[in-house]
Amino acid sequence: MDTSALREAMVRDQLVARGIRDERVLAAFRKVRRELFIPDVPPDLAHEDHPISIGFSQTISQPYILALMTQAARPKPTSRGLDIGTGSGYQAAVLAQLCKEVCSIEILKPLADSARSRLMALGYKNITVRVGDGYRGWPEKAPFDVIIVAAAPDHVPQPLIDQLAPGGRLVIPVGGWFQELLVIEKQKDGTVDRQSIAPVTFVPMRGEAENARGK
Ligand code: SAH
């Protein structure tokens, strides 16, 4: 089935209409077949303007929010990216169009396993998925130019700031009931800038973030 018209309409009506302007980002959303990452729903529903369940009480975000995060991270063809909360693998696949290499961490083994096999079957060679707690990042693969987080802790995990390359950007939802999407940029001199770009609602970050909650 040719689903390019669904992607074209999604990009036009949800992304461009709300101000996503980065042409490389728009091209990536035109290319990645979203319906293959959400196989339990019909293709037209997979492109709708809201989050969708991917099982295990987890959701794949609304296309616009993923595009906003991807654009804010400013990936380049030479970038090394870290994707935290692999879920369906869709965000990792989008990032893989825009970066040289993507490392992706998922805390739930069944989701990590199915995303890994899906991405392999689709021929992605520049994505590595592992099971683990993204709170600690992936020190062996650091530093990263781009880090995108899909689950919300109530504070910014210091290991993720430490693993940013100079000039790199971390895009992360932070909060409890009320969350904001933060863009944290590490300057060449190592200092960090922090900007809030949107109110958001993500699933809570599990694992160490829960133990550290409220501290
Ligand atoms: N980026 C995903 C969205 C998945 S929803 C996609 O494109 O489909 C968020 C995911 O984060 C869930 O799969 C959840 O299991 C995972 N998650 C929650 N806490 C985590 C943690 N500490 N480390 C890694 N993954 C985590």
Side-chain angles (χ1 to χ4, degrees), residues 48-67:
E48 284 181 2
D49 192 15
H50 51 75
I52 296 171
S53 168
I54 54 169
F56 304 94
S57 308
Q58 304 302 321
T59 55
I60 178 171
S61 301
Q62 175 191 17
Y64 168 68
I65 293 294
L66 292 176

Side-chain angles (χ1 to χ4, degrees), residues 54 58-61 66 83-91 105-108 111 132-135 150-151 203-207:
I54 54 169
Q58 304 302 321
T59 55
I60 178 171
S61 301
L66 292 176
D83 167 54
I84 295 177
T86 316
S88 68
Y90 178 71
Q91 170 76 79
I105 309 178
E106 169 58 53
I107 203 163
L108 296 176
L111 281 176
D133 187 340
Y135 185 91
V203 294
M205 185 180 272
R206 302 284 170 212

Side-chain angles (χ1 to χ4, degrees), residues 180-195:
E180 50 184 355
L181 189 58
L182 299 182
V183 180
I184 292 165
E185 181 161 358
K186 191 181 264 185
Q187 306 299 325
K188 300 271 188 260
D189 66 4
T191 57
V192 287
D193 278 355
R194 181 183 162 131
Q195 205 193 338

Side-chain angles (χ1 to χ4, degrees), residues 5 20 28 41 100 141 157 185 209 214:
I20 303 295
V41 305
K100 182 161 178 244
K141 301 263 193 183
E185 181 161 358

Side-chain angles (χ1 to χ4, degrees), residues 72-155:
R74 279 192 261 136
K76 295 200 205 71
T78 51
S79 298
R80 290 167 45 75
L82 176 63
D83 167 54
I84 295 177
T86 316
S88 68
Y90 178 71
Q91 170 76 79
V94 167
L95 211 49
Q97 313 291 326
L98 300 164
C99 290
K100 182 161 178 244
E101 190 190 344
V102 176
C103 299
S104 186
I105 309 178
E106 169 58 53
I107 203 163
L108 296 176
K109 188 171 187 304
L111 281 176
D113 290 346
S114 67
R116 189 187 298 110
S117 1
R118 174 177 294 137
L119 292 163
M120 272 177 60
L122 291 173
Y124 284 95
K125 305 229 184 309
N126 61 341
I127 306 177
T128 316
V129 179
R130 81 162 167 90
V131 181
D133 187 340
Y135 185 91
R136 291 264 145 214
W138 196 329
E140 301 79 12
K141 301 263 193 183
F144 299 99
D145 305 295
V146 162
I147 303 179
I148 293 184
V149 185
D154 72 352
H155 61 280

